[in-house]
Amino acid sequence: MGERVSDDIAVAAPPEQVWNVIDDLEAYTQWAEGVEDVDVQERDDDGRPTRARFKVDAKVLQVSYTLTYTYGDDNVTWELVEGEQINQLDGEYEVTPDGDGSHVRYTLEVDFDIPLPGFLKKRGAKRILDTGLKGLKKRAESLA
């Protein structure tokens, strides 16, 4: 079982702008630390990605994985389909209005395919979470 982490952040951009950043997976290479390549393999009728392959430089190793996405009214969830060096990468972004901006909650459950002590797995999951939230905030606010 993986390490589950969650955090939230206020973003000074409207929810629509935050969703534009979240849904533009190909642009993750511009703002998500370590993401080197994203190949969107499938989209839904609204043009949102439903399956994508990522290549990530995780500093100590290169990681490739494929995620599937499911969209709700105020959230998107994803699940790992296949991965190298990783056997769980499931998560959720929940975006709700907050005054003139947005409130974003990011939940992630990660498990690596290499033997690591629990505290290192937790630290790795927290790093992914922190980087993702801060990068999303910066990108959405820069485009608002």
Side-chain angles (χ1 to χ4, degrees):
M1 182 164 173
E3 292 296 326
R4 185 176 176 89
V5 292
S6 187
D7 203 358
D8 35 355
I9 198 166
V11 179
E16 300 79 24
Q17 185 63 47
V18 175
W19 279 117
N20 289 341
V21 173
I22 290 170
D23 290 345
D24 188 4
L25 298 183
E26 292 95 343
Y28 279 33
T29 58
Q30 299 170 25
W31 64 267
E33 184 180 334
V35 176
E36 294 182 337
D37 187 54
V38 180
D39 175 28
V40 175
Q41 299 172 335
E42 297 174 14
R43 294 183 183 275
D44 66 13
D45 292 340
D46 294 325
R48 300 174 299 191
T50 57
R51 183 182 176 101
R53 180 106 179 129
F54 291 78
K55 182 179 174 186
V56 177
D57 179 358
K59 304 237 188 239
V60 294
L61 53 104
Q62 295 280 335
V63 179
S64 294
Y65 53 86
T66 301
L67 303 176
T68 58
Y69 293 83
T70 304
Y71 296 86
D73 291 336
D74 63 357
N75 72 327
V76 59
T77 59
W78 58 89
E79 292 183 351
L80 181 72
V81 175
E82 60 185 0
E84 299 169 7
Q85 309 294 334
I86 192 164
N87 58 27
Q88 184 176 20
L89 184 60
D90 304 335
E92 176 184 33
Y93 276 122
E94 183 179 2
V95 182
T96 53
D98 184 16
D100 292 336
S102 304
H103 177 263
V104 179
R105 181 156 190 79
Y106 183 12
T107 304
L108 190 64
E109 192 162 357
V110 180
D111 197 8
F112 302 96
D113 200 21
I114 51 179
L116 290 172
F119 78 93
L120 285 179
K121 288 182 183 183
K122 186 84 161 186
R123 186 181 299 163
K126 186 69 172 149
R127 179 169 159 63
I128 294 168
L129 182 87
D130 289 343
T131 301
L133 270 178
K134 290 174 184 170
L136 174 63
K137 175 182 173 67
K138 184 176 180 180
R139 177 74 171 184
E141 290 177 351
S142 75
L143 299 174

